[in-house]
Amino acid sequence: MSHVLHTTFIPTTKTSLRRQFRKIHHNPTAGRIQIQSKIREIFMPALSSTMTEGKIVSWVKSEGDKLSKGESVVVVESDKADMDVESFYDGYLASIIVEEGLSAPIGSPIALLAESEDEIALAKSQTPSSSTAADAASEKDTTTTNTDDGVAAVASVKVSTTSSTAVDLGSVKVGSGVHLASEGGKRVVASPYAKKLAKELGLDLSGVVGSGPNGRVVAKDVEAAVVAAANVSVSGTGPAVAPEAAKSSGRAVVELGSVVPFTTMQGAVSRNMVESLSVPTFRVGYTITTDALDALYKKIKSKGVTMTALLAKATALALVKHPVVNSSCRDGKSFTYNSQINIAVAVAIDGGLITPVLQDADKIDLYSLSRKWKELVDKARAKQLQPHEYNSGTFTLSNLGMFGVDRFDAILPPGTGAIMAIGASQPSLIGNKDGRIGLKSQMQVNVTADHRVIYGADLAAFLQTLAIIIEDPKDLTL
Amino acid sequence: MQSAISLSLSPSSSITRSDCSVAANAYLCTPRSLRFCGLRRKVFESKSFHSLKVSTRLVPCSRESNFNKVCAALQSNGTPSKGGFDYDLVIIGAGVGGHGAALHAVEKGLKTAIIEGDVIGGTCVNRGCVPSKALLAVSGRMRELQNEHHMKSFGLQVAAAGYDRQGVADHANNLASKIRSNLTNSMKALGVDILTGTGTILGPQKLKFGKGGSGDTFVTAKDIIIATGSVPLVPKGIEVDGKSVITSDHALKLEFVPEWIAIVGSGYIGLEFSDVYTALGSEVTFIEALDQLMPGFDPEIGKLAQRVLINPRKIDYHTGVFASKITPAKDGKPVIIELIDAKTKEPKGTVEVDAALIATGRAPFTQGLGLENINVQTQRGFVPVDERMRVIDANGMLVPHLYCIGDANGKLMLAHAASAQGISVVEQVSGNDHVLNHLSIPAACFTHPEISMVGLTEPQAREKAEKEGFEMSITKTSFKANTKALAENEGEGLAKLIYRPDTGEILGVHIFGMHAADLIHEASNAIAMGTRIQDLKFAVHAHPTLSEVLDELFKSAKVKVNSSSPIAQPVAV
């Protein structure tokens, strides 16, 4: 579980973040041998576990100044604090690569340190221009200094060594509800800590449903929203339809026998997992024959229709007839009937997971829906999904069928009423009432729902409707 | 019994030795510790109080000369000097300022009375520094216990820390009543007449006190000190209901801990309460009219404080805005705060919170003082005074025999400043001219970590240096390098010295870090005594202590003159 979260979709990941990993695993002695010149880079340090880039507040020293070990060189503003960065070496500040007021990703060089005055000129000649500083990290090899040394400056403050594993989940939200205290959604009322947390986790607060007094967004809601996507992954829904699903994510190397504390994010997941226990969920399964659906799919596949779109469309049409299954319970006292039917579908990306949303899946025709889905997947791969494209789901689909999983169940993402786990469609021998035996393809679906608003009979009726639609799918193409 | 006597009298006798040049032996019955606010010295104070009682009882059987004098001071509270006045000195207001003045007056042999219409101790003891320190003591511990990282780095394991609100509130309340009774007892013990009621000045050297109406008592006094203090300032448009919209008076009772509280004003009071509330689990929104938080602090210290005290905590803020209207919570609606731009007055939105604390400063409490009877016009409520605390009337003339100290004059609204001003006035009425150097009065904010300062801030010093044409230098040391601070895992901190390299004069010292409020006195005493840095450099500090931060600070200053103190005679050890 932890490794899945570790590598959760990171929309704002800087190349430097990965480079940081490399640097850590790099064999330092190999680099040392190569040292030719005595010019060192000063790197943007990781000042906090959530920091991905830092802004240069001010250079304490100017170019040409002599530095002694332990002296402050630069003040860096991270997401948490302004901190003095000290030099680990004596020398001269030869060249400033990132000027005051500009930002650089962690691990990228922000200045060059020459060991002697004579080398200042040499260092200067190696300085990339400030404008490209942000890219400098990814072009490490183009700077001819001994970056492999991997040392230079580090923050004088105590920085957790696990900071390189910073997991910035990016913006993930659940629910499309409007904040009660927000004048029709124009204004977000969020507590100071909720705001701070949202900023830290890169979450857009507009659309997060508040559970605090007067409907205000509190820290718990932010954590819940952030965890929503992770939640889906935790529930085992894992990779979905898209072909990239097969691409297995690199497992983080863990030291056996060690106890690794949760990161902030994992702590949040943990809390929310525990909190999910406060939602009284139950599960109802159903076996649906898919021969007709498969046939339809074969027929219209050439027109760009995907199975995901078909399943989403079928689900949406069933939800039209059962609005309660598309509802959610936000305050423990009322039903929130969503005006739209937005089908969120779990997709694995880069070892992480996100839930792009097919909005108004009941109204949009199958072909448009398929095009939309392709667009969403492309955007997700390019990490360009806009918040409303992955946080507005009212019902979630999770499909592990492509792995041959025949049945599983999912944990309900906070803020929604139900999630459906879809297993593989497999040929089965079926005995009919009229005594005939035939081979039919069947798949098992399993819906997890919040029993405060959705009752067993509701789900049963919904699943029956869904089965009818899938078993006679002609309506899907209308 | 005998041993008790010798023990209890030892403080006063030691003072006799050290102080003999300053005052006549006769009135040295007051241990030094009693002179000041006494807030941080309850142990000492009660002990000395006890000692005085013992000595009184023993008078008849023990006719030692020293005792005689003690008794004289105790029993007579001085005798009014010639002129037919009821008292030599009447102080209106028994806060820390009045108390400090009263004790010093008795020491000086003046017949003294103090008029109090409310409770002894004033704001500081009952609704200010004292109960807030109790709350801050709790918040500091909570903060530590909640800081898992911090605890872990000590190798400590602490289960989830929690608190009982009523228990915390009781601690603050108990502390206030304890200090209040200490204060009352210390004055009673010295024979200060405590007159109950509202004091009103009727004319020069004449006043009345009582509950108003015909029951008032008239008294005359050779000199009068106004020490009526202040009340929380509530700007227009803000409705204080004492429940959801509160001032520090209410907040110190800690009747509830809101989930989200807006604090209007980010000065000392606001900052300290933000420390308390966030430690107890509240989230805080600061509303500050100026463009930056913590105005009044040295900018560099303010910036660092923001990094440590604001940014990592559950606090956000709006700066450059006024709270133009605050409506208390009612009918299930939250507290609504309307914001306007401080400069353009344009609306800047609203904030909805569970509670709002008004910490916009304090307004002088001078109503009913009868200032009109002596032709004194207050300025924004403050009583105008000169540098000797002598009251100035509407024509710009000094009002004879009338002084005003403490928050009521607005010079420096700190308890210990009031006390120092009171002592300065008593010195003057006793015939010794005295002018208090306000730049030597330290100030402290008891956040975690603490902030303290004395003298000028960097911009103030720079301006002064430019105007007077002298060179100004700055040196800084960090707590990061201090052994004791590191042992405590409290390396975050900075001490900053602003000084004149040509003379070695200290212009200002600012400290942010662990126990900063206790550390500042080395600097404030140096300023008060005129000690120069070149001499301080030779002072020895115990190792390892936090005081070495200042030691290092003084040593790092580059002063162009050498130590001026004469070479001491060798002392055999």
Side-chain angles (χ1 to χ4, degrees):
Chain A
M1 172 163 145
S2 72
H3 88 274
V4 175
L5 295 172
H6 239 59
T7 50
T8 309
F9 177 58
I10 304 170
T12 55
T13 316
K14 294 288 180 293
T15 46
S16 61
L17 204 58
R18 261 169 275 147
R19 179 171 171 266
Q20 186 82 4
F21 279 114
R22 256 199 288 162
K23 211 172 78 190
I24 282 168
H25 298 306
H26 190 85
N27 178 3
T29 52
R32 290 245 164 74
I33 295 161
Q34 292 163 13
I35 295 175
Q36 298 298 320
S37 67
K38 293 288 175 51
I39 297 164
R40 294 187 165 98
E41 282 181 306
I42 297 175
F43 294 128
M44 174 63 72
L47 299 177
S48 75
S49 56
T50 51
M51 176 176 173
T52 54
E53 60 171 30
K55 186 173 153 193
I56 308 289
V57 177
S58 63
W59 281 99
V60 180
K61 300 284 175 181
S62 319
E63 287 187 358
D65 283 0
K66 191 174 184 334
L67 293 176
S68 11
K69 186 179 166 184
E71 231 181 331
S72 289
V73 186
V74 60
V75 180
V76 170
E77 180 187 75
S78 76
D79 51 351
K80 292 225 171 69
D82 292 5
M83 290 172 183
D84 290 356
V85 177
E86 295 172 2
S87 171
F88 260 25
Y89 292 94
D90 292 336
Y92 291 85
L93 184 61
S95 170
I96 288 172
I97 301 171
V98 182
E99 297 293 335
E100 285 184 10
L102 296 178
S103 296
I106 56 169
S108 67
I110 54 175
L112 299 179
L113 185 72
E115 192 157 88
S116 68
E117 254 175 312
D118 305 338
E119 284 159 348
I120 294 177
L122 175 66
K124 272 189 189 295
S125 67
Q126 296 173 348
T127 309
S129 77
S130 187
S131 59
T132 61
D135 303 325
S138 52
E139 297 163 1
K140 164 172 83 151
D141 296 335
T142 63
T143 55
T144 54
T145 48
N146 56 329
T147 56
D148 287 350
D149 196 12
V151 273
V154 290
S156 57
V157 292
K158 297 220 166 36
V159 174
S160 157
T161 51
T162 61
S163 61
S164 55
T165 61
V167 175
D168 188 343
L169 187 62
S171 318
V172 177
K173 285 183 298 183
V174 276
S176 54
V178 164
H179 200 288
L180 292 175
S182 67
E183 291 160 16
K186 273 181 284 185
R187 205 160 56 83
V188 175
V189 178
S191 81
Y193 186 46
K195 276 185 243 170
K196 210 161 256 187
L197 208 57
K199 201 176 159 200
E200 231 167 66
L201 299 169
L203 178 85
D204 178 6
L205 279 175
S206 57
V208 173
V209 179
S211 68
N214 300 295
R216 118 188 12 140
V217 176
V218 294
K220 170 164 83 98
D221 302 323
V222 174
E223 283 167 358
V226 165
V227 147
N231 220 353
V232 181
S233 82
V234 169
S235 68
T237 55
V241 250
E244 67 269 24
K247 198 170 75 186
S248 68
S249 56
R251 205 172 259 267
V253 181
V254 292
E255 197 187 321
L256 298 179
S258 63
V259 177
V260 183
F262 285 155
T263 61
T264 312
M265 230 290 291
Q266 290 161 346
V269 171
S270 168
R271 275 194 297 283
N272 279 279
M273 285 299 90
V274 173
E275 206 177 306
S276 77
L277 295 175
S278 68
V279 176
T281 56
F282 71 112
R283 293 156 182 90
V284 176
Y286 208 99
T287 303
I288 301 174
T289 303
T290 59
D291 290 323
L293 188 73
D294 293 342
L296 177 69
Y297 178 53
K298 216 170 268 174
K299 213 163 80 189
I300 56 178
K301 197 177 170 185
S302 56
K303 294 177 186 169
V305 172
T306 63
M307 184 53 93
T308 301
L310 273 170
L311 289 170
K313 184 73 186 174
T315 307
L317 290 180
L319 286 171
V320 172
K321 292 179 184 159
H322 303 277
V324 71
V325 183
N326 195 44
S327 75
S328 60
C329 180
R330 298 205 169 131
D331 54 4
K333 291 178 213 155
S334 60
F335 293 81
T336 302
Y337 289 105
N338 294 302
S339 55
Q340 288 178 298
I341 293 176
N342 297 338
I343 307 291
V345 187
V347 177
I349 300 273
D350 272 4
L353 188 136
I354 193 151
T355 55
V357 175
L358 288 165
Q359 292 188 334
D360 290 318
D362 56 322
K363 300 195 180 77
I364 296 173
D365 70 76
L366 187 60
Y367 303 100
S368 306
L369 212 54
S370 298
R371 278 195 299 276
K372 182 74 190 169
W373 180 246
K374 190 171 180 308
E375 183 193 321
L376 287 172
V377 170
D378 287 346
K379 270 188 168 177
R381 275 196 205 137
K383 290 165 185 170
Q384 282 170 348
L385 280 181
Q386 298 303 305
H388 69 272
E389 290 173 322
Y390 56 81
N391 61 29
S392 54
T394 57
F395 185 97
T396 311
L397 284 186
S398 180
N399 186 356
L400 285 181
M402 70 288 290
F403 295 115
V405 169
D406 65 342
R407 61 185 176 271
F408 66 105
D409 76 48
I411 290 179
L412 184 65
T416 62
I419 178 169
M420 183 158 74
I422 301 172
S425 175
Q426 292 169 321
S428 322
L429 275 175
I430 306 292
N432 276 350
K433 275 180 195 154
D434 53 14
R436 292 196 305 186
I437 294 173
L439 195 64
K440 285 184 176 176
S441 288
Q442 291 192 318
M443 69 174 182
Q444 297 190 37
V445 297
N446 191 10
V447 183
T448 304
D450 181 346
H451 205 305
R452 290 173 300 177
V453 286
I454 302 168
Y455 298 176
D458 297 326
L459 275 194
F462 163 74
L463 286 168
Q464 213 169 12
T465 308
L466 181 67
I468 291 169
I469 293 172
I470 289 178
E471 284 164 12
D472 184 11
K474 61 179 189 311
D475 286 352
L476 295 180
T477 53
L478 290 180
Chain B
M1 201 50 154
Q2 202 53 44
S3 68
I5 297 164
S6 62
L7 248 184
S8 56
L9 279 180
S10 61
S12 60
S13 59
S14 71
I15 285 160
T16 311
R17 256 192 290 128
S18 62
D19 225 23
C20 54
S21 61
V22 181
N25 258 347
Y27 300 109
L28 283 172
C29 57
T30 327
R32 282 262 137 165
S33 59
L34 280 183
R35 272 192 179 182
F36 298 95
C37 182
L39 305 179
R40 286 154 236 134
R41 312 182 178 210
K42 62 180 179 17
V43 177
F44 217 93
E45 204 171 348
S46 53
K47 197 164 91 188
S48 38
F49 169 56
H50 178 66
S51 78
L52 289 168
K53 264 214 298 221
V54 171
S55 61
T56 317
R57 262 190 278 125
L58 286 174
V59 168
C61 58
S62 157
R63 281 279 154 204
E64 221 180 299
S65 66
N66 203 12
F67 273 59
N68 239 342
K69 285 159 192 163
V70 169
C71 301
L74 275 177
Q75 287 164 351
S76 63
N77 174 23
T79 40
S81 35
K82 295 161 280 186
F85 294 109
D86 297 332
Y87 291 100
D88 290 324
L89 180 66
V90 169
I91 302 157
I92 309 175
V96 169
H99 175 260
L103 296 193
H104 194 64
V106 173
E107 186 179 329
K108 284 284 171 188
L110 304 179
K111 183 166 171 57
T112 311
I114 196 159
I115 301 176
E116 179 55 61
D118 190 20
V119 281
I120 302 286
T123 298
C124 172
V125 172
N126 299 294
R127 300 174 297 272
C129 4
V130 171
S132 68
K133 294 305 96 55
L135 296 183
L136 283 157
V138 174
S139 79
R141 279 175 177 77
M142 271 303 275
R143 222 169 259 299
E144 246 174 79
L145 294 174
Q146 285 169 342
N147 189 342
E148 284 168 36
H149 174 71
H150 195 230
M151 282 293 159
K152 214 172 157 190
S153 62
F154 280 127
L156 290 178
Q157 289 167 352
V158 178
Y163 69 93
D164 159 37
R165 184 201 54 79
Q166 193 55 50
V168 179
D170 289 348
H171 174 52
N173 193 31
N174 293 344
L175 179 68
S177 43
K178 185 165 218 163
I179 302 299
R180 185 165 59 233
S181 71
N182 282 350
L183 228 62
T184 313
N185 290 343
S186 68
M187 287 197 292
K188 278 189 187 155
L190 290 176
V192 174
D193 287 349
I194 300 174
L195 313 174
T196 310
T198 308
T200 306
I201 298 164
L202 300 171
Q205 301 178 307
K206 219 163 58 184
L207 37 71
K208 64 170 183 178
F209 69 92
K211 302 232 155 62
S214 56
D216 285 3
T217 314
F218 296 84
V219 287
T220 56
K222 185 170 158 284
D223 293 287
I224 298 172
I225 297 179
I226 298 169
T228 44
S230 61
V231 292
L233 171 72
V234 179
K236 260 188 269 171
I238 296 177
E239 190 191 325
V240 171
D241 69 347
K243 290 189 175 65
S244 61
V245 181
I246 57 177
T247 65
S248 56
D249 288 3
H250 309 103
L252 289 165
K253 293 184 188 147
L254 202 73
E255 277 168 355
F256 83 122
V257 179
E259 273 181 47
W260 183 4
I261 185 165
I263 299 181
V264 184
S266 65
Y268 294 77
I269 304 174
L271 209 54
E272 289 190 355
F273 274 109
S274 80
D275 195 281
V276 170
Y277 279 118
T278 52
L280 298 183
S282 301
E283 297 179 31
V284 170
T285 294
F286 270 121
I287 294 167
E288 172 58 55
L290 294 173
D291 287 334
Q292 59 172 30
L293 290 177
M294 294 174 268
F297 291 94
D298 182 86
E300 194 171 357
I301 296 289
K303 205 177 145 210
L304 180 63
Q306 181 162 342
R307 274 195 232 163
V308 177
L309 301 176
I310 308 280
N311 295 346
R313 297 185 181 172
K314 295 175 179 179
I315 302 176
D316 71 350
Y317 50 85
H318 301 269
T319 51
V321 292
F322 282 128
S324 60
K325 188 164 185 277
I326 300 185
T327 318
K330 56 184 160 212
D331 308 329
K333 277 198 228 149
V335 175
I336 297 168
I337 305 176
E338 290 174 24
L339 302 177
I340 56 168
D341 191 286
K343 291 191 192 84
T344 64
K345 309 290 178 218
E346 278 167 27
K348 296 282 273 187
T350 57
V351 176
E352 288 136 23
V353 291
D354 300 323
L357 168 66
I358 313 305
T360 42
R362 300 190 59 87
F365 180 67
T366 49
Q367 279 172 331
L369 255 178
L371 292 172
E372 61 285 353
N373 300 334
I374 41 168
N375 191 28
V376 171
Q377 264 179 0
T378 57
Q379 289 165 1
R380 293 180 300 122
F382 294 108
V383 178
V385 293
D386 72 352
E387 73 285 350
R388 288 179 171 81
M389 310 302 136
R390 293 178 291 196
V391 175
I392 300 168
D393 71 10
N395 302 324
M397 306 296 288
L398 292 178
V399 180
H401 306 292
L402 184 64
Y403 302 82
C404 179
I405 61 168
D407 287 4
N409 72 31
K411 270 187 181 288
L412 190 56
M413 296 172 87
L414 295 167
H416 49 276
S419 188
Q421 290 171 354
I423 288 162
S424 171
V425 168
V426 170
E427 281 295 314
Q428 290 171 59
V429 303
S430 316
N432 308 317
D433 192 19
H434 190 271
V435 177
L436 179 65
N437 177 8
H438 282 85
L439 286 177
S440 73
I441 298 178
C445 188
F446 295 83
T447 43
H448 297 92
E450 296 170 344
I451 310 170
S452 63
M453 70 198 76
V454 64
L456 305 174
T457 63
E458 186 181 330
Q460 285 169 342
R462 229 171 255 295
E463 195 187 321
K464 187 176 179 197
E466 205 160 295
K467 210 158 75 188
E468 296 176 16
F470 61 80
E471 199 190 330
M472 183 202 93
S473 288
I474 290 171
T475 183
K476 286 175 258 186
T477 54
S478 163
F479 279 60
K480 261 183 233 161
N482 183 277
T483 311
K484 187 71 187 302
L486 291 177
E488 300 281 349
N489 262 330
E490 301 275 358
E492 188 83 66
L494 175 80
K496 175 174 176 177
L497 169 67
I498 304 162
Y499 64 103
R500 281 182 69 156
D502 56 344
T503 62
E505 185 192 345
I506 300 173
L507 300 171
V509 172
H510 303 266
I511 310 173
F512 175 82
M514 191 188 197
H515 294 313
D518 293 306
L519 291 174
I520 195 70
H521 298 97
E522 190 167 3
S524 64
N525 287 351
I527 293 178
M529 309 298 164
T531 318
R532 298 297 160 100
I533 295 166
Q534 57 271 30
D535 298 325
L536 286 169
K537 284 181 187 221
F538 291 102
V540 182
H541 295 71
H543 176 75
T545 58
L546 290 172
S547 72
E548 289 171 292
V549 171
L550 263 78
D551 185 29
E552 205 185 312
L553 188 67
F554 294 135
K555 288 195 161 88
S556 69
K558 293 184 174 58
V559 183
K560 292 170 186 158
V561 284
N562 290 326
S563 173
S564 56
S565 51
I567 293 169
Q569 290 297 315
V571 180
V573 278

